[in-house]
Amino acid sequence: MADDFNHQLNHKLTLRVASISLIAILFAIIFRPLIVSLPSYFTWIAILDFLLVLSVYFIIRSNRLPQWEVAILLSSGIITITPLLLISGGVNSQFTHILPLYPIIAALLGGKWESLCVGIILVFGIIVFSFFGHQVADLTGDIYIEEKSYTRGFWLTITLITSTLFGRFFLKRYNKLTEQLKEENIHDPLTHLFNRRGFNFHFNRNLNQSLLTNSPLSLVLIDIDFFKKVNDKYGHDVGDVCLIEVADTLASNIRKSDILARFGGEEFILVLPETKLNEAANIAEKLRSVIFQRTYSDFNLPLTITLGVANYSEQNTSQLKIIKTADKALYRGKEKGRNRVELA
Ligand SMILES: Nc1nc2c(ncn2[C@@H]2O[C@H](COP(=O)(O)OP(=O)(O)OP(=O)(O)O)[C@@H](O)[C@H]2O)c(=O)[nH]1
């Protein structure tokens, strides 16, 4: 899930940066003549740059080269800026102001290695340009003295190194934040079990695996009995503590490969991969028993659960069907007096 999510996010970001670059170049082509008068070949270079970024945009949009799209975008960024620097004073050019953004964008879209590569390429370019800066006229026709080009080159190098380091720092924070958001997105804040979203993803993945390998898979729906009475008598906060303790008890009595989630208010759902219906019934019975054997919250409240068990079979091949079958079994369990396991 994380990989898929990361790819989607990166793809969207890369496409966004490509489209922003396109708009920026288009603006430069249209409005630049109104602001400054430059040689006509500047427009031709800008048009070529626009066509290059346009093709990069469509390559990224097609999603045909997912592993290469960041590298393609970053290379096109360097390729588009180089002729502009060459005709506008090299290291003394106004365009050098954009350069410190490159390692940060590279860190955001790619990662620390991409940022480092871009940083090294740019620093190398700046060193080379520094030696020629005084020989090239800038956009206003100024020729720079050697010393000024070296000073500019020196400070640009420092800025680029700083922005590369900043990119790495920024990336760490960004990764931490996205990781946190992803975790929050798929977990229930009260019990810290998977929420429905997290459950759906993992259930689907396990179900597909079972369909492919024809291996067994069972599902248990778990509902706390008469939970409303706990809330009504002791308050919602005590109810919350009970929910947390029930969740912890369930979680500590299952295998690592099993998927336990909070399905709704006082309802939990458990997926048991590689488990036949009769084995799932035994596990459900064990869970019923451990929940029954202890007490909950500071009030030492006794709680029981009712469990409905179903499995993946020829009739039950979809996620929805298996859950519905388990739900019917659970309902039967409630009707028969609760604190019991019912099989589909
Ligand atoms: N404290 C607390 N209570 C919750 C939460 N989510 C749902 N509930 C409560 O769970 C109770 C569920 O009540 P019912 O659906 O009537 O079920 P029950 O009382 O457990 O009865 P049976 O399921 O028929 O045995 C309601 O009182 C809800 O308010 C929660 O996050 N915290």
Side-chain angles (χ1 to χ4, degrees):
M1 185 181 206
D3 282 354
D4 205 36
F5 184 87
N6 279 345
H7 171 67
Q8 285 292 331
L9 193 69
N10 266 16
H11 177 71
K12 279 187 184 161
L13 272 174
T14 316
L15 199 62
R16 187 66 59 89
V17 173
S19 48
I20 290 171
S21 312
L22 268 181
I23 294 168
I25 302 175
L26 202 61
F27 257 73
I29 294 172
I30 298 169
F31 294 108
R32 193 262 317 145
L34 306 175
I35 304 163
V36 275
S37 67
L38 296 171
S40 61
Y41 56 77
F42 180 90
T43 307
W44 287 111
I45 289 176
I47 289 172
L48 284 177
D49 278 356
F50 180 79
L51 293 176
L52 175 69
V53 181
L54 188 67
S55 39
V56 166
Y57 173 84
F58 281 115
I59 291 171
I60 296 170
R61 227 183 99 150
S62 73
N63 214 352
R64 291 228 181 107
L65 302 164
Q67 299 96 323
W68 292 100
E69 50 193 42
V70 174
I72 292 172
L73 183 75
L74 294 175
S75 315
S76 76
I78 293 174
I79 293 169
T80 46
I81 195 99
T82 307
L84 294 174
L85 291 176
L86 274 172
I87 61 156
S88 61
V91 77
N92 299 299
S93 165
Q94 303 293 323
F95 291 106
T96 54
H97 293 129
I98 313 169
L99 294 181
L101 279 179
Y102 278 43
I104 297 171
I105 292 175
L108 185 64
L109 299 180
K112 59 181 180 182
W113 293 112
E114 284 80 352
S115 170
L116 196 67
C117 276
V118 168
I120 291 172
I121 292 171
L122 291 181
V123 167
F124 180 74
I126 289 301
I127 293 169
V128 173
F129 272 119
S130 300
F131 290 103
F132 297 102
H134 56 282
Q135 291 169 2
V136 203
D138 78 356
L139 294 171
T140 52
D142 284 342
I143 307 260
Y144 290 86
I145 52 167
E146 212 167 302
E147 202 180 319
K148 182 159 184 192
S149 293
Y150 292 153
T151 315
R152 280 270 299 179
F154 172 77
W155 285 113
L156 261 173
T157 305
I158 299 289
T159 317
L160 279 169
I161 292 170
T162 313
S163 75
T164 306
L165 293 176
F166 177 75
R168 291 181 79 124
F169 164 78
F170 177 72
L171 185 68
K172 265 193 196 163
R173 297 289 301 253
Y174 172 79
N175 282 345
K176 211 174 145 195
L177 196 69
T178 43
E179 218 36 64
Q180 195 182 329
L181 284 174
K182 272 183 267 169
E183 284 299 302
E184 282 173 13
N185 204 25
I186 59 166
H187 285 98
D188 167 49
L190 183 72
T191 59
H192 300 297
L193 298 179
F194 285 121
N195 60 15
R196 257 183 198 233
R197 193 179 284 119
F199 167 79
N200 281 341
F201 171 76
H202 286 289
F203 186 23
N204 251 332
R205 201 157 70 169
N206 277 278
L207 192 58
N208 286 339
Q209 186 68 19
S210 283
L211 289 167
L212 273 176
T213 57
N214 206 21
S215 51
L217 175 138
S218 294
L219 180 131
V220 187
L221 259 184
I222 306 163
D223 192 279
I224 306 177
D225 300 324
F226 300 120
F227 196 62
K228 192 173 179 316
K229 285 185 185 166
V230 175
N231 273 334
D232 291 349
K233 192 163 177 196
Y234 297 92
H236 220 259
D237 48 341
V238 175
D240 281 355
V241 173
C242 291
L243 277 174
I244 295 168
E245 291 180 2
V246 168
D248 288 348
T249 311
L250 293 173
S252 51
N253 281 284
I254 55 171
R255 299 170 300 185
K256 266 197 162 170
S257 53
D258 299 336
I259 302 146
L260 178 65
R262 187 171 176 203
F263 204 53
E266 23 73 88
E267 199 169 22
F268 300 91
I269 194 160
L270 174 66
V271 174
L272 303 164
E274 306 286 339
T275 310
K276 292 184 188 139
L277 190 66
N278 59 337
E279 295 164 339
N282 289 338
I283 295 170
E285 181 50 37
K286 179 182 125 193
L287 294 176
R288 188 202 63 75
S289 165
V290 288
I291 292 290
F292 179 59
Q293 274 164 19
R294 57 162 290 191
T295 55
Y296 301 85
S297 84
D298 292 342
F299 294 95
N300 287 326
L301 302 175
L303 285 175
T304 60
I305 50 173
T306 299
L307 305 95
V309 187
N311 67 333
Y312 148 67
S313 63
E314 273 178 23
Q315 299 80 37
N316 270 346
T317 47
S318 79
Q319 184 167 341
L320 200 68
K321 275 188 187 162
I322 303 174
I323 295 176
K324 268 196 173 171
T325 315
D327 198 35
K328 275 186 196 156
L330 172 68
Y331 188 71
R332 261 201 324 274
K334 291 273 180 185
E335 280 193 328
K336 285 187 183 174
R338 297 170 174 81
N339 189 21
R340 56 186 295 131
V341 174
E342 271 298 310
L343 297 197

